Amino acid sequence: MDCRFESSEPQRNKCAACYRQFNKMEHLVEHMRTSYHSVHEPTCGVCRKHCRFLESLREHLIGPLPKAECEKIFKERGCDICLSILPSRSSMRAHRETCQLSRTNTSILYRMANLGIQDEMNNNGRGRVVAIACKMVGGGSDGSLDLCGRLCLIDEYERIIFHTYVKPNLQVTNYRYETTGIRAEYLRDAMPLKQVQRKIQEYLCNGEPIWQIRSRGGRAKILVGHGVDHDLKDTAKYPPLMKPSKLSNSLRYLTKTFLGYDIQTGIQDPYEDCVATMRLYMRMRSASHGVEDYPLATDPQNRNNLATWRQNELERMTPEKLLDLSRSDYYCWCLDRRDR
């Protein structure tokens, strides 16, 4: 009996999410307090292991040292874009055709360059989610200071809401034409930066006072972007899309890896970046996760789930029960579907 007890004990102390094993149950409990495992984490479709990042899941399946059993099944019927496992090889091939997206029609980009300004902000019945992208020109003595020179805003159907060249409030010393396609004459009579900011803010608030805007619900629009500096839906800082080192991936890399096509080749256009950002957001939002009444660890109902005063009680629980109590420390975009 002693042998059986010793061999079964490590299994009892094995995390039900990431499968790490601990010598003592108290160590597993502490791990659950800090790991924030939840149904929202990327999960292997074969062994059901949870990963913090999609990059970690990719390494688990097809990395330098993959899990052998998972790698075998994934090679037969796994999608290397969304990392899902399909029931059969034929269903995988059919899925792959829809999962791999194509680049946007570049002819619209050239038409936009001649339009200068396109404004459809008066039409508010175009969905709640919008994507923004800018192209920066250079300011300062060495041209390294980023100044917004062109901006595009689209809706979730990839239709242009607003496009304009932007006149910065500082002198432009480098137009970065090789990547922006912007010339001095495009900005000479362009809309001033403050006017652009005011128009976009009014559109995003959608008639709701800015001090009443909430992170969930309400009339205000959801704004997504890549590498935005404020508290927005940011694909550069969305945990599943980040690197295991907690650094951000470039929009170009994310588009190639998770959408299956190339962007930012040659002269770049903010419309194309908008579309890529929106598609990444929509793909993450459509992820099928379990439903939780209070999904965040910061929700008041979850504050005592893994509280230290429950230590003895928690140590008597199974790893599966501990996982049921655990919650995410970030807002998963799949939750946006519940607010619509």
Side-chain angles (χ1 to χ4, degrees):
M1 290 184 64
D2 290 341
C3 291
R4 287 195 296 271
F5 176 81
E6 291 176 359
S7 63
S8 64
E9 188 61 24
Q11 289 297 114
R12 169 173 163 72
N13 301 337
K14 182 178 180 180
C15 176
C18 67
Y19 301 156
R20 285 185 60 187
Q21 295 196 30
F22 300 88
N23 292 329
K24 296 181 179 180
M25 191 62 183
E26 63 187 270
H27 298 158
L28 172 58
V29 171
E30 184 58 30
H31 164 75
M32 296 305 294
R33 284 198 182 102
T34 58
S35 64
Y36 299 105
H37 288 311
S38 76
V39 297
H40 302 287
E41 291 179 312
T43 305
C44 175
V46 182
C47 70
R48 308 309 301 168
K49 177 182 179 180
H50 290 229
C51 297
R52 181 70 171 174
F53 310 97
L54 283 162
E55 294 286 357
S56 302
L57 177 57
R58 190 178 297 276
E59 290 182 4
H60 169 80
L61 293 167
I62 51 178
L65 296 172
K67 182 72 176 294
E69 298 86 347
C70 300
E71 179 190 29
K72 180 181 178 181
I73 294 176
F74 187 81
K75 283 184 176 179
E76 292 179 354
R77 44 190 177 89
C79 175
D80 61 356
I81 295 179
C82 68
L83 304 180
S84 58
I85 307 293
L86 282 299
S88 65
R89 291 184 180 182
S90 59
S91 59
M92 188 277 290
R93 287 192 293 268
H95 163 85
R96 188 66 161 69
E97 292 179 359
T98 59
C99 194
Q100 180 171 354
L101 303 178
S102 60
R103 192 174 182 179
T104 55
N105 186 352
T106 55
S107 64
I108 192 173
L109 308 183
Y110 294 109
R111 291 200 300 271
M112 284 172 56
N114 296 324
L115 286 173
I117 295 178
Q118 186 168 347
D119 189 349
E120 298 291 334
M121 286 188 171
N122 290 330
N123 183 0
N124 271 336
R126 305 179 67 169
R128 191 181 172 206
V129 183
V130 297
I132 191 171
C134 304
K135 286 302 167 187
M136 302 295 187
V137 293
S141 58
D142 60 354
S144 62
L145 181 65
D146 287 336
L147 304 173
C148 181
R150 189 177 180 185
L151 177 144
C152 186
L153 198 71
I154 69 168
D155 63 17
E156 56 193 272
Y157 307 104
E158 303 178 9
R159 298 176 300 196
I160 299 169
I161 299 171
F162 184 62
H163 167 264
T164 185
Y165 289 101
V166 181
K167 187 175 184 178
N169 49 15
L170 297 175
Q171 182 179 0
V172 178
T173 55
N174 184 356
Y175 288 89
R176 305 174 184 175
Y177 178 78
E178 294 77 10
T179 56
T180 67
I182 296 176
R183 299 182 185 274
E185 55 266 29
Y186 297 169
L187 305 188
R188 189 172 295 123
D189 298 318
M191 188 178 295
L193 176 63
K194 288 186 177 180
Q195 183 180 349
V196 173
Q197 290 174 326
R198 184 170 60 252
K199 284 178 67 70
I200 291 178
Q201 179 176 305
E202 290 174 357
Y203 179 78
L204 295 177
C205 289
N206 196 21
E208 194 167 61
I210 194 167
W211 59 86
Q212 291 184 3
I213 292 176
R214 304 179 297 280
S215 59
R216 297 172 64 180
R219 298 196 306 272
K221 304 285 186 179
I222 294 175
L223 178 65
V224 297
H226 185 82
V228 287
D229 295 329
H230 302 288
D231 187 16
L232 306 173
K233 304 278 187 180
D234 191 343
T235 58
K237 297 180 181 178
Y238 185 59
L241 291 175
M242 293 171 67
K243 300 175 183 177
S245 59
K246 296 185 180 180
L247 298 174
S248 63
N249 282 303
S250 68
L251 180 60
R252 183 177 183 178
Y253 173 82
L254 294 175
T255 304
K256 179 64 175 178
T257 305
F258 297 104
L259 300 177
Y261 68 95
D262 293 304
I263 64 167
Q264 298 178 348
T265 56
I267 291 180
Q268 303 170 15
D269 195 285
Y271 174 75
E272 185 175 56
D273 289 357
C274 274
V275 170
T277 303
M278 180 62 77
R279 289 177 175 181
L280 284 167
Y281 169 79
M282 298 294 281
R283 179 149 288 181
M284 296 299 107
R285 193 182 76 175
S286 64
S288 179
H289 298 319
V291 177
E292 299 167 323
D293 291 334
Y294 307 103
L296 293 176
T298 53
D299 287 335
Q301 293 79 2
N302 293 324
R303 287 178 182 170
N304 294 325
N305 277 4
L306 299 172
T308 54
W309 60 264
R310 295 186 63 185
Q311 184 70 24
N312 292 336
E313 178 187 355
L314 295 171
E315 289 182 18
R316 292 193 296 270
M317 292 182 182
T318 64
E320 290 74 21
K321 179 60 178 175
L322 289 173
L323 179 57
D324 288 341
L325 295 177
S326 184
R327 292 292 184 269
S328 175
D329 62 341
Y330 70 90
Y331 181 88
C332 182
W333 290 342
C334 76
L335 299 171
D336 286 341
R337 290 178 299 174
R338 300 168 61 180
D339 295 333
R340 296 173 69 78

